[in-house]
Amino acid sequence: MTRWQANAVIVFVALIWGTTFVVQQTSMDNIGPQYFTGVRFLLGTFVVLPFALRELRKMKREGRTLSRGNTLGLIVTGVSMYLASILQQIGIMDTTVTNAAFLTAFYVPLVPVLAFAVFRAKPHWSVWPGGIMCVFGTYLLSGGNLSALGKGDFWVMGSALFWAVQVVMIGIMVTRTNAPALVATVQFFITGIFGMVMGGMLETFSFADIHNAGFEILYAGIMSAGIAFTLQAVAQNYTEAADAAIIMSAEAVFAAIAGAFFLGERLAPAEYAGCGVILAAIIGVQLLPMMGRRPKVAI
């Protein structure tokens, strides 16, 4: 795969993840957030499972096994993903697709802050102005009146914290296991099981509801959870990190476009400005640390 082909794949991945916000919202007309999350991620589990089994066979051939610490880490990763997913799903019931996408992106500046708080990994200076820009962008996104933010917006902002935890844990677990598909499968499975269990406690199960939300479940489960993750992992082996950072940030932009096209969502000029400020902060936090690095010279 060439660099340009890899970049095209990542554009496709960002498109899938951005448009998934639309089906996450429309699915709530037919099914509850817990069962939607459960069925979606169990479906994603089966999509990625063949790759995970191949990695397990490779680990067995190399004489590697999962330690107790790694097993616990995988569980923490899965629980984090469940909390992030369900808070986002509950929030998207009471906010717009555009708001949900840009507020979810708060996890970008939160990741280095969390890494510093837990592991004492000093973040790049760009994190601090990036965080301020995100707060200011949210103020503009609310139309200059924070009371205009609904409860759904705050649920989504809460999900960003757990997305940050999940991102940090993914980095740790992939490094420790050298098995990204296995890590993905485990976190999908845990998220799916939690969603089904909590759905059984809080919602009414109905095959008719699952059928009525069938398109949304298939899209979010197969395309977003399964295929997009795999394509991202493959494509980022063939392109520059800077390219991937910019393109993946476009997820929120694709969500805003999809919300306008499919749901008729419209924003005021100040709200569009807020989206722009948040997007600029996201890109800055990802790219500025790379600008100071000297390229390696082959000898």
Side-chain angles (χ1 to χ4, degrees):
M1 185 181 296
T2 67
R3 177 176 173 178
W4 288 106
Q5 288 172 332
N7 286 343
V9 170
I10 295 178
V11 170
F12 181 60
V13 169
L15 174 65
I16 292 174
W17 284 345
T19 53
T20 298
F21 281 96
V22 173
V23 300
Q24 283 182 257
Q25 186 176 84
T26 58
S27 67
M28 294 298 93
D29 294 334
N30 298 297
I31 192 171
Q34 297 286 353
Y35 274 132
F36 175 78
T37 299
V39 176
R40 167 194 178 185
F41 281 100
L42 286 180
L43 185 58
T45 300
F46 289 110
V47 173
V48 187
L49 184 59
F51 302 97
L53 293 176
R54 186 174 65 180
E55 289 179 345
L56 279 175
R57 290 192 293 268
K58 181 181 178 181
M59 290 174 65
K60 185 177 180 180
R61 290 195 303 268
E62 296 174 351
R64 294 188 294 126
T65 59
L66 288 176
S67 66
R68 182 176 299 179
N70 285 344
T71 301
L72 178 61
L74 288 174
I75 293 173
V76 172
T77 305
V79 172
S80 300
M81 186 174 202
Y82 165 73
L83 292 173
S85 300
I86 195 60
L87 289 176
Q88 182 191 72
Q89 192 61 43
I90 292 172
I92 207 169
M93 296 170 66
D94 293 301
T95 189
T96 64
V97 165
T98 302
N99 280 27
F102 280 94
L103 294 176
T104 297
F106 266 28
Y107 80 87
V108 175
L110 283 176
V111 166
V113 173
L114 182 64
F116 173 73
V118 177
F119 302 104
R120 298 302 173 189
K122 187 177 180 180
H124 190 266
W125 63 265
S126 61
V127 168
W128 311 118
I132 294 172
M133 288 176 66
C134 280
V135 173
F136 180 62
T138 303
Y139 175 74
L140 293 176
L141 192 60
S142 71
N145 180 11
L146 291 179
S147 63
L149 291 175
K151 62 180 181 179
D153 296 302
F154 291 105
W155 279 105
V156 173
M157 283 190 278
S159 77
L161 173 61
F162 290 101
W163 282 125
V165 174
Q166 187 260 356
V167 169
V168 172
M169 290 303 302
I170 280 286
I172 294 171
M173 297 314 302
V174 169
T175 300
R176 287 184 176 180
T177 64
N178 193 29
L182 175 62
V183 174
T185 301
V186 172
Q187 70 172 353
F188 290 166
F189 180 72
I190 291 175
T191 301
I193 291 297
F194 266 104
M196 297 303 290
V197 170
M198 294 303 296
M201 296 172 60
L202 302 173
E203 301 170 2
T204 301
F205 180 82
S206 169
F207 284 110
D209 290 344
I210 294 177
H211 177 268
N212 291 334
F215 172 77
E216 288 90 344
I217 291 172
L218 289 172
Y219 191 90
I222 296 177
M223 297 296 292
S224 177
I227 293 177
F229 173 86
T230 305
L231 289 177
Q232 179 207 11
V234 172
Q236 286 198 231
N237 288 323
Y238 298 95
T239 189
E240 296 291 330
D243 291 9
I246 295 174
I247 297 170
M248 296 306 295
S249 298
E251 171 191 357
V253 177
F254 282 126
I257 295 172
F261 185 81
F262 292 105
L263 303 177
E265 295 181 356
R266 296 293 184 270
L267 298 179
E271 294 171 322
Y272 278 115
C275 291
V277 171
I278 294 174
L279 185 61
I282 294 166
I283 295 175
V285 168
Q286 294 182 86
L287 294 188
L288 285 175
M290 302 175 189
M291 294 176 66
R293 298 176 186 171
R294 295 182 179 181
K296 295 180 180 180
V297 179
I299 299 176

